Amino acid sequence: MGVAINSAPTEGVAVVPLSQIRSSFPVLKNPANRHRAVGLDYDHWRYAFTNTFPEDQARAAYERYHVPASGSIFWGSALANIHPGHTDTHVDYRRPGRAPLLFLSGEHDHLMPPRVQQSNAHHYKAEGTVTEVRVFPGRSHLMPAQEGWEEVADHALDWALAHV
């Protein structure tokens, strides 16, 4: 059983919404960032992670959670569909017997928008497997830290218990 919260696109998912490009641009604008940790300034971080938070909560979240991230994760995802051979984001979508999988998404997530979650889920084709997507209205990428996070957690738990 798996629950993926605002997951990145897997190999084969070619959906690249404009908001995702804008969110990732500070990392992807320089190829040298592929081999280093890259931090975001507050404005970029707010756009990517806390765009639906009130200003004071967004600022507090930035102060608490912002750390430079591995550029290789962003670059690996960006190059997954043009790099020859399997990449780190490769998934065997047709593997039979896979456990149920739920994709959770924030309606206003700029970094990994609902279209990415829906495309990820659509690729899972194994017969008899359960794959679902739930989009939470009014939420951004950092929804586990957003006010009302309990609704997201309760839904994930209820879904997991229903699919045991």
PDB file of all heavy atoms in Angstrom, residues 119-144:
ATOM      1  N   SER A 119      -1.412  12.238 -14.332  1.00  0.00           N
ATOM      2  CA  SER A 119      -0.635  11.558 -15.362  1.00  0.00           C
ATOM      3  C   SER A 119       0.149  10.390 -14.763  1.00  0.00           C
ATOM      4  O   SER A 119       0.213   9.306 -15.355  1.00  0.00           O
ATOM      5  CB  SER A 119       0.311  12.538 -16.056  1.00  0.00           C
ATOM      6  OG  SER A 119       0.958  11.904 -17.141  1.00  0.00           O
ATOM      7  N   ASN A 120       0.754  10.593 -13.592  1.00  0.00           N
ATOM      8  CA  ASN A 120       1.434   9.482 -12.913  1.00  0.00           C
ATOM      9  C   ASN A 120       0.469   8.313 -12.747  1.00  0.00           C
ATOM     10  O   ASN A 120       0.775   7.183 -13.117  1.00  0.00           O
ATOM     11  CB  ASN A 120       1.941   9.909 -11.532  1.00  0.00           C
ATOM     12  CG  ASN A 120       3.310  10.550 -11.544  1.00  0.00           C
ATOM     13  OD1 ASN A 120       4.056  10.427 -12.494  1.00  0.00           O
ATOM     14  ND2 ASN A 120       3.627  11.254 -10.475  1.00  0.00           N
ATOM     15  N   ALA A 121      -0.704   8.581 -12.189  1.00  0.00           N
ATOM     16  CA  ALA A 121      -1.684   7.524 -11.923  1.00  0.00           C
ATOM     17  C   ALA A 121      -2.148   6.859 -13.213  1.00  0.00           C
ATOM     18  O   ALA A 121      -2.319   5.633 -13.267  1.00  0.00           O
ATOM     19  CB  ALA A 121      -2.880   8.092 -11.164  1.00  0.00           C
ATOM     20  N   HIS A 122      -2.332   7.637 -14.253  1.00  0.00           N
ATOM     21  CA  HIS A 122      -2.817   7.108 -15.542  1.00  0.00           C
ATOM     22  C   HIS A 122      -1.856   6.074 -16.140  1.00  0.00           C
ATOM     23  O   HIS A 122      -2.281   5.157 -16.836  1.00  0.00           O
ATOM     24  CB  HIS A 122      -3.043   8.262 -16.515  1.00  0.00           C
ATOM     25  CG  HIS A 122      -3.427   7.830 -17.888  1.00  0.00           C
ATOM     26  ND1 HIS A 122      -4.691   7.372 -18.177  1.00  0.00           N
ATOM     27  CD2 HIS A 122      -2.730   7.763 -19.045  1.00  0.00           C
ATOM     28  CE1 HIS A 122      -4.747   7.033 -19.465  1.00  0.00           C
ATOM     29  NE2 HIS A 122      -3.565   7.277 -20.008  1.00  0.00           N
ATOM     30  N   HIS A 123      -0.580   6.210 -15.860  1.00  0.00           N
ATOM     31  CA  HIS A 123       0.412   5.298 -16.432  1.00  0.00           C
ATOM     32  C   HIS A 123       0.374   3.900 -15.816  1.00  0.00           C
ATOM     33  O   HIS A 123       0.844   2.947 -16.430  1.00  0.00           O
ATOM     34  CB  HIS A 123       1.814   5.889 -16.290  1.00  0.00           C
ATOM     35  CG  HIS A 123       2.120   6.903 -17.341  1.00  0.00           C
ATOM     36  ND1 HIS A 123       1.599   8.170 -17.323  1.00  0.00           N
ATOM     37  CD2 HIS A 123       2.887   6.828 -18.445  1.00  0.00           C
ATOM     38  CE1 HIS A 123       2.028   8.828 -18.376  1.00  0.00           C
ATOM     39  NE2 HIS A 123       2.818   8.045 -19.071  1.00  0.00           N
ATOM     40  N   TYR A 124      -0.158   3.767 -14.625  1.00  0.00           N
ATOM     41  CA  TYR A 124      -0.213   2.452 -13.974  1.00  0.00           C
ATOM     42  C   TYR A 124      -1.305   1.622 -14.645  1.00  0.00           C
ATOM     43  O   TYR A 124      -2.483   1.913 -14.511  1.00  0.00           O
ATOM     44  CB  TYR A 124      -0.472   2.602 -12.473  1.00  0.00           C
ATOM     45  CG  TYR A 124       0.746   3.079 -11.737  1.00  0.00           C
ATOM     46  CD1 TYR A 124       1.000   4.436 -11.592  1.00  0.00           C
ATOM     47  CD2 TYR A 124       1.657   2.182 -11.211  1.00  0.00           C
ATOM     48  CE1 TYR A 124       2.134   4.886 -10.928  1.00  0.00           C
ATOM     49  CE2 TYR A 124       2.797   2.622 -10.551  1.00  0.00           C
ATOM     50  CZ  TYR A 124       3.023   3.968 -10.414  1.00  0.00           C
ATOM     51  OH  TYR A 124       4.139   4.405  -9.765  1.00  0.00           O
ATOM     52  N   LYS A 125      -0.896   0.579 -15.364  1.00  0.00           N
ATOM     53  CA  LYS A 125      -1.814  -0.175 -16.220  1.00  0.00           C
ATOM     54  C   LYS A 125      -2.027  -1.629 -15.801  1.00  0.00           C
ATOM     55  O   LYS A 125      -2.757  -2.349 -16.439  1.00  0.00           O
ATOM     56  CB  LYS A 125      -1.286  -0.195 -17.665  1.00  0.00           C
ATOM     57  CG  LYS A 125      -1.031   1.161 -18.253  1.00  0.00           C
ATOM     58  CD  LYS A 125      -2.271   1.761 -18.799  1.00  0.00           C
ATOM     59  CE  LYS A 125      -1.905   3.015 -19.585  1.00  0.00           C
ATOM     60  NZ  LYS A 125      -2.951   3.951 -19.669  1.00  0.00           N
ATOM     61  N   ALA A 126      -1.357  -2.095 -14.766  1.00  0.00           N
ATOM     62  CA  ALA A 126      -1.453  -3.510 -14.412  1.00  0.00           C
ATOM     63  C   ALA A 126      -2.898  -3.869 -14.071  1.00  0.00           C
ATOM     64  O   ALA A 126      -3.569  -3.168 -13.310  1.00  0.00           O
ATOM     65  CB  ALA A 126      -0.534  -3.832 -13.241  1.00  0.00           C
ATOM     66  N   GLU A 127      -3.345  -4.954 -14.652  1.00  0.00           N
ATOM     67  CA  GLU A 127      -4.710  -5.409 -14.437  1.00  0.00           C
ATOM     68  C   GLU A 127      -4.930  -5.773 -12.968  1.00  0.00           C
ATOM     69  O   GLU A 127      -4.085  -6.390 -12.328  1.00  0.00           O
ATOM     70  CB  GLU A 127      -4.986  -6.643 -15.309  1.00  0.00           C
ATOM     71  CG  GLU A 127      -6.432  -7.048 -15.322  1.00  0.00           C
ATOM     72  CD  GLU A 127      -6.709  -8.168 -16.300  1.00  0.00           C
ATOM     73  OE1 GLU A 127      -6.089  -8.175 -17.388  1.00  0.00           O
ATOM     74  OE2 GLU A 127      -7.532  -9.030 -15.969  1.00  0.00           O
ATOM     75  N   GLY A 128      -6.062  -5.327 -12.441  1.00  0.00           N
ATOM     76  CA  GLY A 128      -6.420  -5.674 -11.077  1.00  0.00           C
ATOM     77  C   GLY A 128      -5.780  -4.822 -10.003  1.00  0.00           C
ATOM     78  O   GLY A 128      -5.951  -5.098  -8.818  1.00  0.00           O
ATOM     79  N   THR A 129      -5.031  -3.790 -10.390  1.00  0.00           N
ATOM     80  CA  THR A 129      -4.411  -2.936  -9.374  1.00  0.00           C
ATOM     81  C   THR A 129      -5.274  -1.701  -9.151  1.00  0.00           C
ATOM     82  O   THR A 129      -6.006  -1.264 -10.028  1.00  0.00           O
ATOM     83  CB  THR A 129      -2.984  -2.508  -9.764  1.00  0.00           C
ATOM     84  OG1 THR A 129      -3.034  -1.797 -11.001  1.00  0.00           O
ATOM     85  CG2 THR A 129      -2.074  -3.712  -9.892  1.00  0.00           C
ATOM     86  N   VAL A 130      -5.183  -1.153  -7.964  1.00  0.00           N
ATOM     87  CA  VAL A 130      -5.949   0.034  -7.589  1.00  0.00           C
ATOM     88  C   VAL A 130      -5.015   1.240  -7.569  1.00  0.00           C
ATOM     89  O   VAL A 130      -3.998   1.217  -6.877  1.00  0.00           O
ATOM     90  CB  VAL A 130      -6.588  -0.151  -6.189  1.00  0.00           C
ATOM     91  CG1 VAL A 130      -7.281   1.124  -5.741  1.00  0.00           C
ATOM     92  CG2 VAL A 130      -7.544  -1.331  -6.190  1.00  0.00           C
ATOM     93  N   THR A 131      -5.370   2.259  -8.337  1.00  0.00           N
ATOM     94  CA  THR A 131      -4.622   3.512  -8.356  1.00  0.00           C
ATOM     95  C   THR A 131      -5.647   4.637  -8.367  1.00  0.00           C
ATOM     96  O   THR A 131      -6.523   4.660  -9.229  1.00  0.00           O
ATOM     97  CB  THR A 131      -3.722   3.614  -9.599  1.00  0.00           C
ATOM     98  OG1 THR A 131      -2.884   2.469  -9.661  1.00  0.00           O
ATOM     99  CG2 THR A 131      -2.853   4.857  -9.535  1.00  0.00           C
ATOM    100  N   GLU A 132      -5.531   5.543  -7.408  1.00  0.00           N
ATOM    101  CA  GLU A 132      -6.479   6.646  -7.305  1.00  0.00           C
ATOM    102  C   GLU A 132      -5.745   7.961  -7.077  1.00  0.00           C
ATOM    103  O   GLU A 132      -4.613   7.974  -6.612  1.00  0.00           O
ATOM    104  CB  GLU A 132      -7.459   6.404  -6.147  1.00  0.00           C
ATOM    105  CG  GLU A 132      -8.345   5.192  -6.347  1.00  0.00           C
ATOM    106  CD  GLU A 132      -9.293   4.935  -5.187  1.00  0.00           C
ATOM    107  OE1 GLU A 132      -9.558   5.872  -4.399  1.00  0.00           O
ATOM    108  OE2 GLU A 132      -9.768   3.803  -5.065  1.00  0.00           O
ATOM    109  N   VAL A 133      -6.439   9.052  -7.415  1.00  0.00           N
ATOM    110  CA  VAL A 133      -5.917  10.401  -7.202  1.00  0.00           C
ATOM    111  C   VAL A 133      -6.953  11.179  -6.400  1.00  0.00           C
ATOM    112  O   VAL A 133      -8.141  11.110  -6.697  1.00  0.00           O
ATOM    113  CB  VAL A 133      -5.670  11.147  -8.535  1.00  0.00           C
ATOM    114  CG1 VAL A 133      -5.205  12.575  -8.279  1.00  0.00           C
ATOM    115  CG2 VAL A 133      -4.675  10.402  -9.393  1.00  0.00           C
ATOM    116  N   ARG A 134      -6.500  11.911  -5.405  1.00  0.00           N
ATOM    117  CA  ARG A 134      -7.387  12.811  -4.650  1.00  0.00           C
ATOM    118  C   ARG A 134      -6.736  14.187  -4.638  1.00  0.00           C
ATOM    119  O   ARG A 134      -5.579  14.332  -4.246  1.00  0.00           O
ATOM    120  CB  ARG A 134      -7.569  12.299  -3.226  1.00  0.00           C
ATOM    121  CG  ARG A 134      -8.224  13.286  -2.272  1.00  0.00           C
ATOM    122  CD  ARG A 134      -9.730  13.463  -2.537  1.00  0.00           C
ATOM    123  NE  ARG A 134     -10.273  14.603  -1.842  1.00  0.00           N
ATOM    124  CZ  ARG A 134     -10.746  14.604  -0.610  1.00  0.00           C
ATOM    125  NH1 ARG A 134     -10.762  13.485   0.090  1.00  0.00           N
ATOM    126  NH2 ARG A 134     -11.224  15.692  -0.079  1.00  0.00           N
ATOM    127  N   VAL A 135      -7.481  15.177  -5.104  1.00  0.00           N
ATOM    128  CA  VAL A 135      -7.012  16.557  -5.131  1.00  0.00           C
ATOM    129  C   VAL A 135      -7.714  17.316  -4.005  1.00  0.00           C
ATOM    130  O   VAL A 135      -8.936  17.284  -3.900  1.00  0.00           O
ATOM    131  CB  VAL A 135      -7.306  17.223  -6.491  1.00  0.00           C
ATOM    132  CG1 VAL A 135      -6.872  18.683  -6.488  1.00  0.00           C
ATOM    133  CG2 VAL A 135      -6.625  16.453  -7.624  1.00  0.00           C
ATOM    134  N   PHE A 136      -6.931  17.978  -3.168  1.00  0.00           N
ATOM    135  CA  PHE A 136      -7.475  18.734  -2.046  1.00  0.00           C
ATOM    136  C   PHE A 136      -7.619  20.205  -2.431  1.00  0.00           C
ATOM    137  O   PHE A 136      -6.619  20.871  -2.724  1.00  0.00           O
ATOM    138  CB  PHE A 136      -6.586  18.583  -0.807  1.00  0.00           C
ATOM    139  CG  PHE A 136      -6.714  17.226  -0.178  1.00  0.00           C
ATOM    140  CD1 PHE A 136      -5.913  16.183  -0.598  1.00  0.00           C
ATOM    141  CD2 PHE A 136      -7.658  16.998   0.803  1.00  0.00           C
ATOM    142  CE1 PHE A 136      -6.034  14.919  -0.041  1.00  0.00           C
ATOM    143  CE2 PHE A 136      -7.800  15.735   1.372  1.00  0.00           C
ATOM    144  CZ  PHE A 136      -6.987  14.696   0.950  1.00  0.00           C
ATOM    145  N   PRO A 137      -8.852  20.701  -2.427  1.00  0.00           N
ATOM    146  CA  PRO A 137      -9.100  22.097  -2.820  1.00  0.00           C
ATOM    147  C   PRO A 137      -8.352  23.090  -1.937  1.00  0.00           C
ATOM    148  O   PRO A 137      -8.210  22.892  -0.730  1.00  0.00           O
ATOM    149  CB  PRO A 137     -10.614  22.261  -2.619  1.00  0.00           C
ATOM    150  CG  PRO A 137     -11.164  20.873  -2.594  1.00  0.00           C
ATOM    151  CD  PRO A 137     -10.076  19.997  -2.049  1.00  0.00           C
ATOM    152  N   GLY A 138      -7.862  24.145  -2.584  1.00  0.00           N
ATOM    153  CA  GLY A 138      -7.253  25.253  -1.867  1.00  0.00           C
ATOM    154  C   GLY A 138      -5.879  24.986  -1.283  1.00  0.00           C
ATOM    155  O   GLY A 138      -5.349  25.819  -0.566  1.00  0.00           O
ATOM    156  N   ARG A 139      -5.278  23.853  -1.600  1.00  0.00           N
ATOM    157  CA  ARG A 139      -3.995  23.502  -0.977  1.00  0.00           C
ATOM    158  C   ARG A 139      -2.842  23.662  -1.974  1.00  0.00           C
ATOM    159  O   ARG A 139      -3.010  23.529  -3.168  1.00  0.00           O
ATOM    160  CB  ARG A 139      -4.043  22.088  -0.437  1.00  0.00           C
ATOM    161  CG  ARG A 139      -5.086  21.960   0.658  1.00  0.00           C
ATOM    162  CD  ARG A 139      -4.897  20.714   1.468  1.00  0.00           C
ATOM    163  NE  ARG A 139      -5.869  20.663   2.536  1.00  0.00           N
ATOM    164  CZ  ARG A 139      -5.698  21.221   3.723  1.00  0.00           C
ATOM    165  NH1 ARG A 139      -4.590  21.867   3.995  1.00  0.00           N
ATOM    166  NH2 ARG A 139      -6.627  21.145   4.646  1.00  0.00           N
ATOM    167  N   SER A 140      -1.668  23.901  -1.397  1.00  0.00           N
ATOM    168  CA  SER A 140      -0.452  24.060  -2.193  1.00  0.00           C
ATOM    169  C   SER A 140       0.454  22.847  -1.998  1.00  0.00           C
ATOM    170  O   SER A 140       0.030  21.824  -1.459  1.00  0.00           O
ATOM    171  CB  SER A 140       0.265  25.346  -1.773  1.00  0.00           C
ATOM    172  OG  SER A 140       0.572  25.311  -0.394  1.00  0.00           O
ATOM    173  N   HIS A 141       1.705  22.949  -2.425  1.00  0.00           N
ATOM    174  CA  HIS A 141       2.622  21.814  -2.362  1.00  0.00           C
ATOM    175  C   HIS A 141       2.934  21.384  -0.927  1.00  0.00           C
ATOM    176  O   HIS A 141       3.026  20.193  -0.642  1.00  0.00           O
ATOM    177  CB  HIS A 141       3.933  22.148  -3.088  1.00  0.00           C
ATOM    178  CG  HIS A 141       4.850  20.978  -3.206  1.00  0.00           C
ATOM    179  ND1 HIS A 141       4.631  19.962  -4.112  1.00  0.00           N
ATOM    180  CD2 HIS A 141       5.968  20.645  -2.525  1.00  0.00           C
ATOM    181  CE1 HIS A 141       5.582  19.059  -3.988  1.00  0.00           C
ATOM    182  NE2 HIS A 141       6.417  19.445  -3.027  1.00  0.00           N
ATOM    183  N   LEU A 142       3.049  22.315  -0.032  1.00  0.00           N
ATOM    184  CA  LEU A 142       3.425  21.985   1.340  1.00  0.00           C
ATOM    185  C   LEU A 142       2.185  21.688   2.194  1.00  0.00           C
ATOM    186  O   LEU A 142       2.105  22.059   3.348  1.00  0.00           O
ATOM    187  CB  LEU A 142       4.259  23.127   1.944  1.00  0.00           C
ATOM    188  CG  LEU A 142       5.099  22.781   3.169  1.00  0.00           C
ATOM    189  CD1 LEU A 142       6.113  21.680   2.876  1.00  0.00           C
ATOM    190  CD2 LEU A 142       5.810  24.015   3.689  1.00  0.00           C
ATOM    191  N   MET A 143       1.232  20.970   1.622  1.00  0.00           N
ATOM    192  CA  MET A 143      -0.028  20.730   2.336  1.00  0.00           C
ATOM    193  C   MET A 143       0.124  19.943   3.637  1.00  0.00           C
ATOM    194  O   MET A 143      -0.687  20.123   4.535  1.00  0.00           O
ATOM    195  CB  MET A 143      -1.090  20.141   1.422  1.00  0.00           C
ATOM    196  CG  MET A 143      -0.862  18.792   0.872  1.00  0.00           C
ATOM    197  SD  MET A 143      -2.278  18.382  -0.201  1.00  0.00           S
ATOM    198  CE  MET A 143      -1.751  16.784  -0.752  1.00  0.00           C
ATOM    199  N   PRO A 144       1.143  19.104   3.832  1.00  0.00           N
ATOM    200  CA  PRO A 144       1.268  18.460   5.142  1.00  0.00           C
ATOM    201  C   PRO A 144       1.580  19.457   6.271  1.00  0.00           C
ATOM    202  O   PRO A 144       1.369  19.144   7.435  1.00  0.00           O
ATOM    203  CB  PRO A 144       2.424  17.471   4.964  1.00  0.00           C
ATOM    204  CG  PRO A 144       2.463  17.203   3.501  1.00  0.00           C
ATOM    205  CD  PRO A 144       2.070  18.514   2.862  1.00  0.00           C
TER     206      PRO A 144
END
